[in-house]
Amino acid sequence: MIKCGRPRKGQESLSRDRLLDAALQLFLENGYGNLSLEIIAKDARVSMRTIYNEFGGKAGLFGAVIKRYTDSFVTGLSEDSTLEGRPEEALIAFAKQFLRGIIHPDAVRIRAILIGESIRFPDLALQFYEQGPQRNSFYLAQFFARQQQAGYFIAIDPGVLADQFLSVIRSERFQKLQLGLEQAPDEAEIDTWVRQAASLFLYGCLADKGLSENRKQTAVANL
């Protein structure tokens, strides 16, 4: 006998994961514009209605794929993080996860799909930005704001701090990786990359140890 009705909570989670897994693989293989929701539904063994009810359509499904991917970046910055109160270690841990994520072959491929198809599908670009870069910046800014309250960072807009830190981490080397001009780094290289970038962000590159407080305040005011 075929059982009908709403699946249990655990089954719902498994179905959602199966759908997102299937969608990711199909997006990677077919791109965005050439892929129909019907194919995704068939591959994931769910109904079209389920996709529309859960995600609103293909763009929303794509956004959910990106959100699940970025979860690993932002969870380490939550308020109950074991690294709370140790900002340098927390930033290094976040940056390693972030860097591993954005240089992963799947992420590189997804970004290439986005660049190629976002003009035709603006909802695609919006979903990617909201669930990817914007979400990373938001959680990182919240982290900086909490650390400012604890006295670890000076009073600069935490959103600016988040944007600058992410820019330092990505660097020009990421562009080379995206273009296939450089091989992906191993774990030792990632560790060196992240620690150098975090040190530069936190401590700067001025050699003059006698920099006056007035000049420091002027530099901060101009940010």
Side-chain angles (χ1 to χ4, degrees):
M1 179 182 295
I2 298 175
K3 295 182 179 181
C4 299
R6 185 179 181 85
R8 296 177 181 178
K9 187 174 182 180
Q11 292 174 327
E12 285 183 339
S13 178
L14 289 174
S15 295
R16 183 184 176 89
D17 285 341
R18 185 176 68 243
L19 172 56
L20 294 178
D21 287 341
L24 172 59
Q25 190 59 40
L26 289 169
F27 282 133
L28 291 172
E29 292 174 357
N30 302 281
Y32 184 83
N34 295 327
L35 181 62
S36 71
L37 277 181
E38 184 178 4
I39 292 175
I40 297 174
K42 182 178 179 180
D43 194 84
R45 305 191 302 280
V46 300
S47 68
M48 295 275 287
R49 178 180 295 180
T50 295
I51 296 178
Y52 279 108
N53 288 344
E54 288 288 326
F55 307 104
K58 188 165 65 169
L61 178 59
F62 183 86
V65 169
I66 299 302
K67 181 179 181 298
R68 187 178 65 162
Y69 197 76
T70 59
D71 280 344
S72 62
F73 307 161
V74 300
T75 52
L77 294 172
S78 60
E79 288 197 53
D80 61 351
S81 170
T82 58
L83 294 177
E84 194 74 15
R86 292 183 282 165
E88 183 170 5
E89 292 179 49
L91 287 174
I92 288 173
F94 164 81
K96 285 183 179 181
Q97 285 286 88
F98 175 75
L99 195 55
R100 290 188 194 106
I102 64 174
I103 67 175
H104 190 279
D106 288 353
V108 172
R109 172 61 180 155
I110 285 290
R111 191 176 179 88
I113 291 170
L114 172 76
I115 293 171
E117 303 195 48
S118 60
I119 294 178
R120 292 174 56 206
F121 304 100
D123 285 349
L124 171 67
L126 181 63
Q127 285 290 337
F128 177 85
Y129 180 73
E130 288 182 346
Q131 302 301 340
Q134 186 179 64
R135 189 163 178 256
N136 292 331
S137 294
F138 174 78
Y139 279 93
L140 191 55
Q142 285 192 323
F143 168 81
F144 279 120
R146 293 195 304 273
Q147 297 298 327
Q148 284 174 329
Q149 291 176 355
Y152 287 103
F153 293 108
I154 59 177
I156 297 176
D157 182 343
V160 172
L161 289 175
D163 289 345
Q164 293 300 313
F165 183 69
L166 289 171
S167 295
V168 170
I169 294 300
R170 280 189 295 259
S171 76
E172 186 65 21
R173 188 175 181 183
F174 172 66
Q175 300 299 329
K176 293 180 180 179
L177 290 169
Q178 181 68 47
L179 294 171
L181 300 177
E182 186 171 324
Q183 289 187 338
D186 59 25
E187 280 298 311
E189 291 172 319
I190 287 175
D191 184 75
T192 299
W193 180 341
V194 164
R195 290 183 183 279
Q196 288 178 341
S199 178
L200 177 62
F201 174 81
L202 290 169
Y203 307 113
C205 58
L206 289 174
D208 182 6
K209 303 299 184 181
L211 182 65
S212 70
E213 187 63 30
N214 287 337
R215 287 176 64 193
K216 288 182 182 179
Q217 293 299 327
T218 299
V220 169
N222 289 332
L223 289 175

